[in-house]
Amino acid sequence: MAAKRKTPVKTRNPDLIRGVGKYSRSKMYHKRGLWAIKAKNGGVFPRHDPKPKAPAAADKPPKFYPAEDVKKPLLNKRKPKPTKLRASITPGTVLILLAGRFMGKRVVFLKQLTSGLLLVTGPFKINGVPLRRVNQSYVIATSTKVDISGVNVEKFDEKYFAKEVQKKKKKSEGEFFEAEKEDKKKLPEGKKEDQKAVDATLIKSIEGVPELKAYLAARFSLKSGMKPHELVF
Amino acid sequence: MVKGRQGERVRSKSNQYPNTSLVQIEGVNTKEEIAWYAGKRMAYIYKAKVKKNGSYYRCVWGKVTRPHGNSGVVRAKFKTNLPPNLWEIESESSCTPAISKLWWTGAE
């Protein structure tokens, strides 16, 4: 067989209607370059002798047959894509978190991670929201934008936020009855440093805009008489 | 959260269809205004005497599906059908009013 092409060739003979090609047989002969191949081969179409077949390995009957035919699950080659980012969400947009621990907080959007989640930061100093992942559905995008050109978000990815795998410790009899000495989970220093690094540039650009700092520090809530469908974010 | 009041079920003159409830959302008065709420999730919150999962409040989740009529009433489908006696509950002053609150998460 001829080597597979990396990009499939667009058909040389486009359909006029289904079943009727644009070019006739003789035209196609010319298009496919069969005349050139023949000329190269001395007027005859090249013919390759079939390669000698490799001796087929002796088929051993399998040791074990399942009692009933086992169905093979169909192949699934689907690769999920990250969720489409709403047009209103661009790096630097102020988002309002709608659910979870930081419900109502106004927060700065940094980037979308490969899983589709949004990477977001308070900044921590302003409203207590750390570098965090958030789902796009649980967020309202406002039209306020913060300049985050100075922030380096390259190093944050899904692995950064993965839970640390805790090694299961085997308990001996004595330890079993002791009160469980669990170390309180402390934030590793590295993460604190990362937070500070990201926030430092952010806070500078935030302080440049009048009242933005107080805006980010305040929580959003629906007050009496506010109609969400009439609000412009 | 926006509050809404439970209406009746979707019905014709003598038949009720319990899988869809009608909800009147506060402050919404026309069919056009409903567009913003379509697809938003709702929760019917009510109190019970027994604590469950650490709280006396219980809730049934649902979604706004489509507008109903021209005046801002909305059709909603809940995970389990809402009880038909909510109008009764509202009129009784002693019981907690049947509130359904609208959460605007999901399908924003």
Side-chain angles (χ1 to χ4, degrees):
Chain A
M1 267 231 328
K4 258 194 171 172
R5 286 171 165 273
K6 287 217 175 118
T7 50
V9 180
K10 279 204 316 212
T11 47
R12 294 192 173 95
N13 194 0
D15 274 354
L16 288 176
I17 327 170
R18 193 172 78 114
V20 179
K22 184 172 175 186
Y23 297 110
S24 66
R25 269 201 118 140
S26 44
K27 278 256 165 77
M28 279 312 296
Y29 173 88
H30 186 75
K31 267 180 163 284
R32 285 168 62 197
L34 297 178
W35 53 274
I37 299 175
K38 275 193 179 174
K40 231 178 160 187
N41 206 35
V44 183
F45 205 73
R47 193 169 163 273
H48 300 281
D49 287 318
K51 292 203 185 99
K53 273 191 178 167
D59 256 335
K60 272 207 276 191
K63 274 193 234 171
F64 172 72
Y65 291 98
E68 287 170 8
D69 278 332
V70 181
K71 266 196 176 174
K72 260 199 197 163
L74 292 172
L75 265 187
N76 185 3
K77 289 200 184 142
R78 177 173 174 260
K79 286 203 188 91
K81 293 188 261 188
T83 6
K84 198 166 163 200
L85 202 55
R86 269 182 263 159
S88 51
I89 303 181
T90 60
T93 317
V94 173
L95 307 173
I96 301 179
L97 298 179
L98 290 173
R101 185 162 169 215
F102 300 106
M103 184 159 56
K105 295 268 193 189
R106 297 173 170 110
V107 133
V108 178
F109 168 65
L110 297 175
K111 77 169 186 178
Q112 184 181 33
L113 301 170
T114 42
S115 67
L117 298 175
L118 311 180
L119 175 64
V120 131
T121 179
F124 188 69
K125 277 248 152 147
I126 298 184
N127 53 20
V129 180
L131 280 165
R132 204 165 203 266
R133 295 179 297 175
V134 154
N135 190 318
Q136 212 190 147
S137 299
Y138 295 90
V139 136
I140 300 183
T142 62
S143 51
T144 317
K145 311 253 184 247
V146 173
D147 178 25
I148 63 165
S149 49
V151 180
N152 181 6
V153 247
E154 294 299 311
K155 67 181 286 201
F156 302 115
D157 61 351
E158 287 300 316
K159 281 200 221 117
Y160 182 84
F161 293 101
K163 274 204 177 141
E164 280 180 28
V165 179
Q166 289 219 344
K167 269 198 174 168
K168 271 194 167 174
K169 286 192 280 186
K170 286 217 165 151
K171 294 189 181 143
S172 61
E173 279 293 319
E175 284 179 9
F176 214 63
F177 292 107
E178 261 181 26
E180 269 198 10
K181 286 186 277 174
E182 268 187 36
D183 323 277
K184 236 187 151 187
K185 281 211 195 126
K186 281 197 187 148
L187 245 200
E189 275 301 319
K191 293 208 170 169
K192 289 192 191 166
E193 293 298 325
D194 291 333
Q195 180 76 53
K196 283 190 203 153
V198 169
D199 285 354
T201 18
L202 252 187
I203 292 182
K204 271 203 213 101
S205 41
I206 288 174
E207 287 179 345
V209 182
E211 295 180 358
L212 187 56
K213 198 166 176 198
Y215 175 69
L216 289 176
R219 279 211 202 214
F220 171 82
S221 65
L222 271 187
K223 309 264 167 41
S224 166
M226 271 174 136
K227 300 183 196 172
H229 63 274
E230 288 180 355
L231 290 180
V232 175
F233 284 103
Chain B
M1 286 136 282
V2 183
K3 285 200 226 156
R5 302 171 118 232
Q6 235 65 29
E8 312 147 347
R9 289 161 164 189
V10 165
R11 60 178 302 162
S12 56
K13 179 164 144 208
S14 5
N15 291 344
Q16 279 191 91
Y17 300 99
N19 48 21
T20 313
S21 296
L22 301 178
V23 177
Q24 170 72 54
I25 307 176
E26 273 180 10
V28 182
N29 294 314
T30 58
K31 189 162 67 167
E32 289 73 27
E33 294 174 2
I34 298 285
W36 189 91
Y37 293 92
K40 298 278 185 289
R41 308 194 79 210
M42 305 179 84
Y44 162 57
I45 300 176
Y46 59 103
K47 269 189 169 177
K49 273 241 168 84
V50 181
K51 244 195 184 185
K52 225 183 185 187
N53 280 335
S55 140
Y56 289 106
Y57 287 94
R58 303 194 193 165
C59 93
V60 181
W61 281 100
K63 279 193 200 174
V64 170
T65 52
R66 48 177 287 192
H68 182 85
N70 293 320
S71 310
V73 179
V74 134
R75 294 193 203 182
K77 277 194 161 193
F78 288 81
K79 197 100 195 251
T80 52
N81 297 338
L82 292 183
N85 54 349
L86 291 177
W87 276 131
E88 270 180 51
I89 297 182
E90 286 214 3
S91 55
E92 287 182 23
S93 47
S94 51
C95 288
T96 22
I99 305 173
S100 96
K101 295 189 178 170
L102 255 191
W103 255 265
W104 43 2
T105 57
E108 217 280 337

